[in-house]
Amino acid sequence: MPSEVVSIALGTVRDLLIEEAKFLSGVSDQVKEVQTELIRMQCFLKDADRRQLKEETVRNYVRKIRRLAYKSKNFLDEFAIEVESRREGRGIGKAIKRSACILCERRALHKVGSETANIKANINCLTTNSENDPKLEAVGREIVRKCGKLPLAISVLGGVLSQKNSLHEWETVNKDVDSYLRMSEGSKEGYGAVMQVLALSYDELPYHLKPCFLHLGIFREDEDINAEMLYLMWIAEGMVSSDQRGRQETLTDVAERYLYEMASRSVVQVHLDEFSTNTRVKSCYLHDLMRDFCLACGKEVEFLKLLDFRGGKDPLSDSSTENFSTPARCSIHMERSRSDLDHNDSVTHMALEANGQLRSLLISASSGGRWVGISLPHVLCDSSKFKYLRVLKFEAYDFKGYGLPRGIKNLIHLRFLSLKDSKFDKLPSSIGQLQYLQTLDIRAHFTNLLGIEVTNVLWKLKRLKHLYLYYNQRTRKGKLSFFGSSKRETLIGFHKDQDDFKDVSELSNLRRLEAEVYIREKNEVSEILSYLNSKQHILRELSVSSGKFEFQKVEPPLFPSNLSELSLYQCATEGDLMDYLGKLSNLKKLSLYDVDLVDRIMLICDANAFPKLPSLDLYSVSKLESWLVAQGSMPNLSNLTIRCCLKLEMIPDGSRLITTFKKLNIMMPEEFNQRVQVVDNRGGVDYDKISHIPVITFEVFP
């Protein structure tokens, strides 16, 4: 038995300590303390012998005890030999040497004192943990019983307990559960108890996380909240402290830590970004009951007002709002089915008039359906009520040709402005006067074929760090300039034909760039790739379109090595395309749209090709007839889409070797589909190549 070995080792150490204590003058008391602790450990081991084969925790403790035992023995052996050798000296000459060694011996004695103290501390820690574990388990079971085995309550309290390290702290939480549950007496069975448990988890949040949690109440129920935008809204409202920023960190990095911490406490659920080069959160959401609690708490502490006009509701007529004071944040939810411009304007105007001085305003339409028609009320830009507005977010609204009023310049404190998924045609020049603006998101839809007109004033926004554009923006004259935008950290939607390429090279703080590059002349290739490769550390997503792309004539590296998403469309390529792209070791998503492969064969011959690629999309890859996949390549491929590759004859044989497949989407001619489908319980000739894939969808083209 392993415990017997440890017991023998501990016994040896104990005997050693007793035998050699006479040599260790000055530290004998500490040595005896270690001896006492080791004897106490032997008592634990007797019980461990009975339990360790069944309990992994006990086995871990025994392993640690064994290591401590041998460490104690080795150290004391070494020290005893050293001291004894020095004390063997006799005579005058040796006496002189002996005097010279006194200081060294005192230092050695001090060392053994420190080492034995350290050993004792480690043994004490192990003993305490071994004794506490059963007690912690008992307390945990008691808490679960009190929660009525309700999953959300248990999960949230698990998050609370994960931050507690001692038995005393766990017992304190157990007592707190009792007191919170007493508050729920008389409420609806189960619901009240859960809400009180959620209240306990909220009270346990660090102070800096509480406003971030309450802020989540502005979003719709079941909404998948974009993490990146959430961070920027927190920053705009001043909820993220620069004091917590580490070296070379941005405030966005700090905000991300905030969300991770809340997730670790189970107050918010997260979805990770499978295409991120790092493990990053893509989005988050609140459980229904957690959102109910968030809104109730936000109302109680006057943090947020929610006005929900969906489903025919009229929250302004609710008597409960009469005594409800005016918080600094308002979220208005409307239905996309309401296209009556006058009605929508009236409702929005009344909602805004019902508020006091706001710092944050979100007006959103429910998902699905049409855009909500609205002309942004001028009261928003003209009234002194809104001059302190820091966050303004419109989602899925059709401004019916009105666009943003020039009066937007009056919102001088604005830090965050988003018109994402709305419909408008022009961004006014007055937006250049918003000198405190940090985030601007105009990834909007346009109502004419010319795209959204963006007046060339964005270069004036010296504090603008995060700019999100669609590739359809345009200027009335010339290109969109980014000159002087040295603080820019994020630039999404850069278009070489619409934006000044040379200005981008001056963005020294740029951390993320998503660009669409049209290559029309051969001499453009080297110039563009030279710049892109100079930004290897920041370029994550790239689209290359148009023109003939001769890969074999481009000096390596072809693309930045940190690239995580690459789209090639409307390109004619020569050379071994996949051989070049397969060397992009961080690529997570590759899409080929309407690509003309001159060689007709797509080869993935390198066993090390595409080491991290989970997603591959092939759309209308003309002339592609066959596709060969080497064993070992694409070891992480999970999603494959093949659409409209009309000359492709079959699924590659190497598909059966890729064990990470989760989903295959096929939109191909009937003849191709029949080769991989099951009909009358009989698989097609290529079915064995894909039979291991859990989800397979088919569409017939044309």
Side-chain angles (χ1 to χ4, degrees):
M1 297 283 289
S3 60
E4 291 176 351
V5 176
V6 177
S7 296
I8 293 171
L10 286 170
T12 303
V13 175
R14 179 195 61 193
D15 295 340
L16 177 67
L17 291 172
I18 296 172
E19 179 66 24
E20 296 181 348
K22 60 185 178 183
F23 297 115
L24 308 178
S25 59
V27 292
S28 60
D29 289 343
Q30 290 163 303
V31 172
K32 288 178 181 178
E33 288 176 358
V34 172
Q35 174 194 353
T36 301
E37 295 301 325
L38 292 172
I39 292 172
R40 187 154 68 99
M41 262 328 217
Q42 283 184 312
C43 296
F44 163 74
L45 287 169
K46 291 179 181 179
D47 182 59
D49 279 344
R50 295 192 302 269
R51 295 190 296 144
Q52 68 160 322
L53 291 180
K54 297 181 180 179
E55 298 183 21
E56 179 62 26
T57 303
V58 177
R59 290 199 294 270
N60 289 335
Y61 285 141
V62 170
R63 281 193 289 269
K64 292 179 182 179
I65 293 167
R66 181 173 58 246
R67 292 168 189 159
L68 271 175
Y70 285 121
K71 180 180 179 181
S72 303
K73 185 179 187 304
N74 293 339
F75 171 74
L76 290 168
D77 276 346
E78 179 184 348
F79 180 78
I81 292 172
E82 179 183 354
V83 173
E84 180 62 18
S85 66
R86 289 175 180 171
R87 290 181 177 176
E88 286 178 351
R90 297 289 186 274
I92 296 176
K94 291 184 178 180
I96 294 173
K97 293 181 181 179
R98 169 70 185 137
S99 298
C101 289
I102 288 176
L103 181 59
C104 292
E105 185 174 319
R106 286 180 177 173
R107 289 176 179 168
L109 288 171
H110 175 73
K111 181 180 178 183
V112 77
S114 299
E115 284 290 337
T116 52
N118 182 52
I119 291 169
K120 178 187 173 185
N122 278 299
I123 294 175
N124 268 326
C125 180
L126 286 173
T127 307
T128 301
N129 287 339
S130 66
E131 292 173 349
N132 275 347
D133 256 22
K135 295 179 181 178
L136 289 174
E137 182 179 348
V139 174
R141 289 183 182 277
E142 178 67 10
I143 292 174
V144 170
R145 183 190 64 78
K146 291 174 181 177
C147 292
K149 298 184 179 180
L150 296 170
L152 177 61
I154 294 171
S155 174
V156 169
L157 280 178
V160 172
L161 292 173
S162 69
Q163 310 298 316
K164 312 297 182 184
N165 300 315
S166 69
L167 177 62
H168 173 72
E169 289 176 311
W170 278 49
E171 289 175 337
T172 300
V173 172
N174 192 19
K175 292 176 182 177
D176 288 343
V177 171
D178 285 334
S179 62
Y180 277 81
L181 289 180
R182 279 195 292 272
M183 299 178 193
S184 68
E185 292 178 359
S187 62
K188 185 178 179 181
E189 183 179 357
Y191 180 82
V194 171
M195 296 302 281
Q196 289 305 320
V197 168
L198 301 186
L200 171 59
S201 69
Y202 172 76
D203 290 341
E204 287 283 336
L205 283 177
Y207 182 78
H208 65 278
L209 294 183
K210 289 184 177 180
C212 296
F213 169 71
L214 295 178
H215 183 268
L216 296 173
I218 70 173
F219 300 99
R220 299 184 300 273
E221 70 277 7
D222 301 321
E223 180 172 353
D224 213 23
I225 304 166
N226 181 280
E228 184 177 357
M229 289 296 109
L230 181 64
Y231 302 151
L232 299 180
M233 293 173 76
W234 285 351
I235 292 169
E237 287 228 38
M239 296 178 183
V240 181
S241 173
S242 59
D243 293 339
Q244 297 186 359
R245 185 168 51 186
R247 177 179 290 184
Q248 295 183 336
E249 275 193 327
T250 66
L251 286 177
T252 305
D253 296 324
V254 179
E256 185 176 42
R257 286 208 309 273
Y258 285 8
L259 185 58
Y260 272 123
E261 188 172 354
M262 285 197 290
S264 71
R265 294 169 179 267
S266 298
V267 297
V268 64
Q269 311 302 313
V270 298
H271 292 138
L272 298 180
D273 184 358
E274 63 178 320
F275 300 132
S276 172
T277 52
N278 300 312
T279 304
R280 297 218 156 176
V281 176
K282 181 179 182 180
S283 60
C284 64
Y285 66 97
L286 289 177
H287 186 284
D288 288 346
L289 291 180
M290 185 64 82
R291 181 174 182 271
D292 289 346
F293 169 78
C294 180
L295 291 173
C297 188
K299 180 177 179 179
E300 182 179 352
V301 300
E302 300 182 356
F303 183 91
L304 168 70
K305 175 187 284 187
L306 174 63
L307 299 175
D308 191 348
F309 291 92
R310 295 172 299 171
K313 291 181 288 188
D314 184 3
L316 295 177
S317 65
D318 188 349
S319 59
S320 65
T321 63
E322 294 177 2
N323 298 320
F324 182 48
S325 59
T326 54
R329 296 159 195 86
C330 179
S331 182
I332 302 173
H333 296 171
M334 301 177 70
E335 288 179 316
R336 289 191 180 190
S337 59
R338 296 304 300 253
S339 57
D340 185 339
L341 183 61
D342 291 337
H343 172 270
N344 294 333
D345 277 354
S346 175
V347 166
T348 307
H349 188 278
M350 288 189 296
L352 294 176
E353 286 295 324
N355 284 280
Q357 289 189 332
L358 289 173
R359 289 170 60 88
S360 181
L361 174 62
L362 183 147
I363 307 179
S364 66
S366 58
S367 58
R370 296 171 290 180
W371 284 271
V372 173
I374 193 173
S375 59
L376 184 68
H378 285 275
V379 64
L380 186 64
C381 297
D382 299 335
S383 173
S384 61
K385 273 190 174 186
F386 307 105
K387 67 178 181 180
Y388 296 110
L389 203 64
R390 281 173 166 248
V391 174
L392 178 58
K393 192 172 194 289
F394 276 84
E395 290 183 348
Y397 279 83
D398 183 353
F399 290 96
K400 299 294 185 181
Y402 290 94
L404 288 177
R406 294 183 58 82
I408 192 75
K409 65 182 180 181
N410 295 328
L411 304 180
I412 58 174
H413 295 284
L414 205 61
R415 264 75 169 172
F416 180 101
L417 174 60
S418 174
L419 302 171
K420 188 173 185 292
D421 293 331
S422 292
K423 292 178 71 174
F424 67 97
D425 293 327
K426 183 178 180 181
L427 200 67
S429 60
S430 59
I431 202 165
Q433 299 181 45
L434 298 177
Q435 287 303 303
Y436 289 97
L437 197 63
Q438 300 170 350
T439 300
L440 176 62
D441 190 344
I442 50 174
R443 289 175 292 183
H445 299 269
F446 53 95
T447 57
N448 61 66
L449 297 178
L450 297 177
I452 298 171
E453 182 180 327
V454 180
T455 309
N456 191 17
V457 295
L458 298 185
W459 61 272
K460 296 181 179 181
L461 302 174
K462 303 303 182 183
R463 293 180 175 86
L464 188 65
K465 294 183 178 181
H466 309 280
L467 177 60
Y468 300 84
L469 305 166
Y470 265 158
Y471 298 118
N472 55 20
Q473 84 279 350
R474 60 184 174 86
T475 56
R476 181 170 296 180
K477 183 179 180 181
K479 294 185 176 183
L480 198 61
S481 173
F482 301 110
F483 179 77
S485 306
S486 60
K487 293 184 180 294
R488 193 71 44 80
E489 296 176 12
T490 304
L491 176 56
I492 306 299
F494 173 85
H495 193 297
K496 188 181 74 71
D497 285 359
Q498 303 293 339
D499 309 322
D500 199 320
F501 191 81
K502 294 180 180 179
D503 288 346
V504 178
S505 62
E506 303 299 322
L507 303 181
S508 56
N509 287 316
L510 201 62
R511 293 182 53 163
R512 184 180 171 205
L513 171 65
E514 293 181 11
E516 184 171 287
V517 178
Y518 280 83
I519 299 175
R520 291 186 172 85
E521 302 294 335
K522 288 186 178 181
N523 58 7
E524 286 184 309
V525 176
S526 58
E527 175 192 354
I528 292 171
L529 292 182
S530 175
Y531 168 73
L532 295 178
N533 281 299
S534 72
K535 296 292 183 183
Q536 286 196 42
H537 60 295
I538 54 100
L539 187 64
R540 294 292 182 268
E541 182 173 321
L542 174 67
S543 296
V544 178
S545 177
S546 290
K548 191 172 185 178
F549 210 146
E550 298 176 330
F551 288 92
Q552 76 277 17
K553 295 182 181 180
V554 179
E555 291 293 326
L558 183 63
F559 292 113
S561 59
N562 274 2
L563 205 63
S564 61
E565 295 189 36
L566 175 63
S567 298
L568 299 178
Y569 56 100
Q570 297 178 348
C571 292
T573 66
E574 289 187 5
D576 193 342
L577 174 65
M578 289 309 203
D579 182 54
Y580 284 96
L581 301 183
K583 293 180 173 63
L584 296 174
S585 59
N586 289 303
L587 201 62
K588 296 293 189 75
K589 185 174 184 179
L590 174 62
S591 301
L592 305 182
Y593 299 90
D594 196 16
V595 172
D596 184 359
L597 291 179
V598 176
D599 293 340
R600 300 175 182 266
I601 300 175
M602 191 164 68
L603 301 174
I604 305 179
C605 298
D606 187 350
N608 298 312
F610 300 107
K612 297 181 181 179
L613 185 73
S615 179
L616 174 61
D617 297 339
L618 304 177
Y619 292 84
S620 298
V621 182
S622 62
K623 300 183 181 178
L624 176 62
E625 296 179 357
S626 60
W627 175 17
L628 303 178
V629 177
Q631 184 173 0
S633 64
M634 300 191 291
N636 290 295
L637 188 64
S638 59
N639 293 279
L640 172 63
T641 297
I642 303 174
R643 292 191 177 187
C644 311
C645 300
L646 302 184
K647 293 191 176 182
L648 183 61
E649 298 172 354
M650 66 181 70
I651 294 281
D653 289 335
S655 298
R656 59 166 60 90
L657 303 174
I658 302 174
T659 59
T660 53
F661 261 131
K662 294 180 181 177
K663 188 173 183 179
L664 171 63
N665 302 304
I666 296 176
M667 184 178 179
M668 292 287 284
E670 181 66 28
E671 182 180 354
F672 183 95
N673 291 353
Q674 288 177 353
R675 295 180 64 91
V676 290
Q677 283 179 317
V678 176
V679 179
D680 296 330
N681 295 321
R682 296 182 61 183
V685 293
D686 290 334
Y687 176 70
D688 64 309
K689 299 177 183 179
I690 65 168
S691 59
H692 61 294
I693 303 177
V695 179
I696 305 174
T697 63
F698 292 96
E699 292 181 67
V700 177
F701 178 86

